Amino acid sequence: MSAPEAGSKTERDAAGATLAAEAARFAGLGWMRGTSGNLSVVLGREPLRLAVTASGLDKGELAHDDLVVVDGMGTPIDAEASTPPRRPSAEAGLHARVVALTGAGAVFHVHTVSAVLAGKRWPDGIELRDLEMLKGIGHAAHDETVVIPVIANSQDMTELGDRLEAALVEGVPAVVVASHGLYVWGKDARQARHHVEIVEWLLSYRIAEG
Ligand SMILES: [Zn+2]
């Protein structure tokens, strides 16, 4: 059986189901309170097509068509495909930029307390070392310092994207946005979810450690 064509209805529905399941999980953990945060998965790369959770909806209650497909600029290309039409988050453009920069297959953005606290305490980057959990984001459990970068918040997605690009650390699939939350990515939705869980654990630990 061949894979569905990028952007086909079958693939769109499958992506929507994945996004809804992942969002419900994060909402259950308290990481997507209210309508906050947004998740995306790549549907195609040339040209870039990204399925992004729709804006303004309770992330614990998304249905399989509560998504928008956007292009490499975060501009919706199929807003009318759902009934009623859905809107993408303003942050969709940043998801697309992360994909272009890192080759990620999924980008997850959540608003966690740990990310905000850590970004405030260590605005120049959050240093971590000698923790078994670092293996979960592809690093050594011993004798390696891993830095999760922190960037200043902005409502201008181009500016925020420029900051993210400048701050990226090779091999670290996460950036903290100060006073805001966390962007994490992976090769697919499953790995992105694992990375969110690991990074959140690392930030919580680091804060508790002081
Ligand atoms: Zn946000």
Side-chain angles (χ1 to χ4, degrees), residues 21-181:
E22 298 294 344
R25 184 183 179 106
F26 290 135
L29 289 164
W31 300 350
M32 298 188 89
R33 303 248 179 142
T35 66
S36 72
N38 29 73
L39 312 180
S40 66
V41 293
V42 172
L43 295 178
R45 292 187 188 272
E46 292 198 7
L48 183 61
R49 293 290 182 261
L50 199 58
V52 189
T53 49
S55 179
L57 303 177
D58 186 317
K59 297 304 188 294
E61 299 177 344
L62 295 182
H64 75 279
D65 64 346
D66 286 331
L67 79 156
V68 182
V69 177
V70 302
D71 66 12
M73 301 300 290
T75 304
I77 61 166
D78 76 337
E80 305 301 321
S82 299
T83 309
R86 308 288 190 261
R87 291 181 296 118
S89 160
E91 291 167 315
L94 196 52
H95 285 246
R97 189 132 176 208
V98 170
V99 168
L101 288 168
T102 68
V107 181
F108 288 179
H109 170 57
V110 294
H111 292 188
T112 69
V113 174
S114 302
V116 173
L117 286 174
K120 189 168 191 171
R121 194 172 304 181
W122 299 287
D124 297 324
I126 302 147
E127 291 191 4
L128 301 152
R129 62 178 291 122
D130 298 332
L131 292 164
E132 185 73 15
M133 284 291 252
L134 284 168
K135 289 158 68 175
I137 53 168
H139 290 272
H142 306 280
D143 304 325
E144 181 193 1
T145 298
V146 176
V147 178
I148 296 180
V150 177
I151 59 174
N153 197 22
S154 174
Q155 302 307 309
D156 180 327
M157 289 305 124
T158 302
E159 187 171 70
L160 203 53
D162 289 347
R163 289 175 188 166
L164 184 140
E165 182 170 358
L168 280 180
V169 174
E170 177 89 34
V172 176
V175 169
V176 166
V177 183
S179 306
H180 183 164

